[in-house]
Amino acid sequence: MKNSLHLEMYRRMVRIRRFEAAAVDLLAKGELAGGLHTTPGQEGAIVGACVALREDDYMVGTHRSHGHPIGKGASLRGLMAELMARSTGVNRGKGGSMHLADFSVGSLGETSIVGSGLPIATGAALGAQMKGTDRVSLCFFGDGASSEGTFHESLNIAAIWKLPVVYFCENNLYAISTPARETVSVEHIAARAAGYDMPGHVVDGQDVLEVYEVVKSAVDRARSGGGPSLVEAKTYRFEEHAIGLNHLSYREHAEVEQWRKRDPIALFRDRLLDEGVISRGDLDKAEEDVGAEIGDAIEFARSSPDPDPAEAFDHVYATTLETGA
Ligand SMILES: Cc1ncc(C[n+]2csc(CCOP(=O)(O)OP(=O)(O)O)c2C)c(N)n1
Ligand SMILES: [Mg+2]
């Protein structure tokens, strides 16, 4: 792997962390409305998986998905404007935090309905196959979603039709306050792949390079007609389920602290420096550049107009196919 790919991975992880920190700050200041489900701790899983895709491949996120479009290469301006409900947002300011679709980078969107992304990603893979393209679809979902019916139905049909899809579970050990160990029938969600006769892999979600390598091989397999795979990343969210839900006490403080020691960004930075892959100066410069991008995105959003109320019912139903696919 080349240095430039490592640096881009680092940049995207930092971009996600800082973008969300800025959004939380804007929420506190009242410049942004609604809730935010943030993802600190899970950036390695998100970026490692997204970077394994080609730019024209598809990706579907979850309700916790500011990071996934960023991982897929979306520009911050349209995402920040969407969070701030401006007409220049990726969904014209009508979607908000849980609906950050950006078709320009193959990001097909997110919704608040847990498990709803699985059939969408499966459908995108079916579309790619029927059109004879070699596009692959990457589907993110959580440990909670892995017990929804949509998970099982999607994996079954994808296996039968050998669809080019990679199912990627971010197992952060909890669905809101419910531990996966109390609701998931297997120790490793990846073991469920066997029931659908597809490969299942467990990866360390705090290790962006391990995630990248495993997802890349699953993507290559899907692209060459080998069918779907299931990848489970063991990871952790450092913050609460959503901003403002700080009253919940379902996790031991020591557990949170233990995972915080395995911050995927810090681990990657240390490794790049230890192995001499990228200089400290280049990493610092990447962080500085991301800081400037965030500032630019906020200014862009602040100076953008609100959506026109006359457009409220536009784009509810598709009249033309806008994906360019
Ligand atoms: C169908 C459905 N059921 C329940 C909810 C309420 N809900 C929102 S997020 C969430 C937890 C999802 O957990 P997981 O899939 O592990 O994702 P995580 O929040 O950990 O990223 C639940 C139950 C919902 N939004 N949709
Ligand atoms: Mg979870």
Coordinates of all heavy atoms in Angstrom, one line a residue, residues 42 63-64 141-145 169-176 178 180 237 241, ligand 2:
Q42 N -15.4 4.8 16.4 CA -15.7 3.9 15.3 C -15.2 4.3 13.9 O -15.5 3.7 12.9 CB -17.3 3.7 15.2 CG -17.9 3.2 16.5 CD -19.4 2.9 16.5 OE1 -20.0 3.0 17.5 NE2 -19.9 2.6 15.3
H63 N -28.4 5.0 11.2 CA -28.8 6.2 11.8 C -27.6 7.0 12.4 O -27.8 8.1 12.8 CB -29.8 5.9 13.0 CG -29.2 4.9 13.9 ND1 -29.0 3.6 13.6 CD2 -28.7 5.1 15.2 CE1 -28.4 3.0 14.6 NE2 -28.2 3.9 15.6
R64 N -26.5 6.3 12.5 CA -25.3 6.9 13.1 C -24.3 7.2 11.9 O -23.2 6.6 11.8 CB -24.7 5.9 14.1 CG -23.6 6.5 15.0 CD -23.0 5.4 15.9 NE -24.1 4.9 16.8 CZ -24.7 5.6 17.8 NH1 -24.3 6.8 18.0 NH2 -25.6 5.1 18.5
F141 N -24.3 -1.6 9.3 CA -25.4 -1.8 10.2 C -24.8 -2.1 11.6 O -23.6 -2.4 11.7 CB -26.3 -2.8 9.7 CG -25.7 -4.2 9.6 CD1 -25.8 -5.2 10.5 CD2 -25.0 -4.5 8.4 CE1 -25.1 -6.4 10.4 CE2 -24.4 -5.7 8.2 CZ -24.4 -6.7 9.2
G142 N -25.6 -2.0 12.6 CA -25.1 -2.2 14.0 C -25.4 -3.6 14.5 O -26.1 -4.4 13.8
D143 N -24.9 -3.9 15.7 CA -25.2 -5.2 16.3 C -26.7 -5.3 16.6 O -27.2 -6.4 16.4 CB -24.4 -5.3 17.6 CG -24.5 -4.1 18.5 OD1 -23.8 -3.1 18.1 OD2 -25.2 -4.1 19.5
G144 N -27.3 -4.2 16.9 CA -28.8 -4.3 17.2 C -29.5 -4.7 15.9 O -30.4 -5.5 15.9
A145 N -29.1 -4.1 14.8 CA -29.7 -4.3 13.5 C -29.6 -5.8 13.0 O -30.4 -6.3 12.3 CB -29.2 -3.4 12.4
C169 N -20.9 -5.1 9.7 CA -21.5 -4.9 11.0 C -20.5 -4.1 11.9 O -19.4 -4.6 12.2 CB -21.9 -6.2 11.7 SG -22.7 -5.9 13.3
E170 N -20.9 -2.9 12.4 CA -20.1 -2.2 13.4 C -20.7 -2.7 14.7 O -21.7 -2.1 15.2 CB -20.3 -0.7 13.2 CG -19.6 -0.1 12.1 CD -20.0 1.3 11.8 OE1 -19.5 2.2 12.6 OE2 -20.7 1.6 10.9
N171 N -20.0 -3.7 15.3 CA -20.5 -4.2 16.6 C -19.9 -3.4 17.7 O -18.7 -3.6 18.1 CB -20.2 -5.7 16.7 CG -20.7 -6.2 18.0 OD1 -21.3 -5.5 18.9 ND2 -20.5 -7.5 18.3
N172 N -20.6 -2.4 18.2 CA -20.1 -1.5 19.2 C -20.6 -2.0 20.6 O -20.6 -1.2 21.6 CB -20.4 0.0 19.0 CG -21.9 0.2 18.9 OD1 -22.7 -0.6 19.2 ND2 -22.3 1.4 18.4
L173 N -21.1 -3.2 20.6 CA -21.5 -3.9 21.8 C -22.8 -3.5 22.5 O -23.3 -4.2 23.4 CB -20.4 -3.9 22.9 CG -18.9 -4.2 22.5 CD1 -18.0 -4.2 23.7 CD2 -18.9 -5.5 21.7
Y174 N -23.4 -2.4 22.0 CA -24.7 -2.0 22.6 C -25.6 -1.5 21.5 O -25.2 -0.9 20.5 CB -24.4 -0.8 23.5 CG -23.7 -1.2 24.8 CD1 -22.3 -1.2 24.7 CD2 -24.3 -1.7 25.9 CE1 -21.5 -1.6 25.8 CE2 -23.6 -2.1 27.0 CZ -22.2 -2.0 27.0 OH -21.5 -2.5 28.1
A175 N -26.9 -1.7 21.7 CA -28.0 -1.1 21.0 C -28.7 -0.1 22.0 O -29.4 -0.6 22.9 CB -29.0 -2.1 20.4
I176 N -28.4 1.1 21.9 CA -28.7 2.1 22.9 C -28.1 1.7 24.2 O -26.9 1.7 24.4 CB -30.2 2.4 23.0 CG1 -30.8 2.8 21.6 CG2 -30.5 3.7 23.9 CD1 -32.3 3.2 21.6
T178 N -28.8 -1.5 25.5 CA -28.9 -3.0 25.6 C -27.7 -3.7 25.1 O -27.3 -3.5 24.0 CB -30.1 -3.5 24.8 OG1 -31.3 -2.8 25.2 CG2 -30.4 -5.0 25.0
A180 N -25.2 -6.3 23.6 CA -25.4 -7.3 22.5 C -25.3 -8.7 23.2 O -26.0 -9.6 22.7 CB -24.3 -7.2 21.5
R237 N -18.4 2.8 20.8 CA -18.7 4.2 20.7 C -18.3 4.8 22.0 O -18.7 4.4 23.1 CB -20.1 4.6 20.2 CG -21.2 4.3 21.2 CD -22.5 4.8 20.8 NE -23.6 4.0 21.4 CZ -23.9 3.9 22.6 NH1 -23.3 4.6 23.5 NH2 -24.8 3.1 23.1
H241 N -25.3 7.2 23.3 CA -26.0 6.8 22.1 C -26.3 8.0 21.2 O -26.2 7.9 20.0 CB -27.3 6.0 22.5 CG -28.2 5.7 21.3 ND1 -27.9 4.8 20.4 CD2 -29.4 6.3 20.9 CE1 -28.9 4.8 19.4 NE2 -29.8 5.7 19.8
Ligands
MG2 MG -24.6 -1.1 18.4

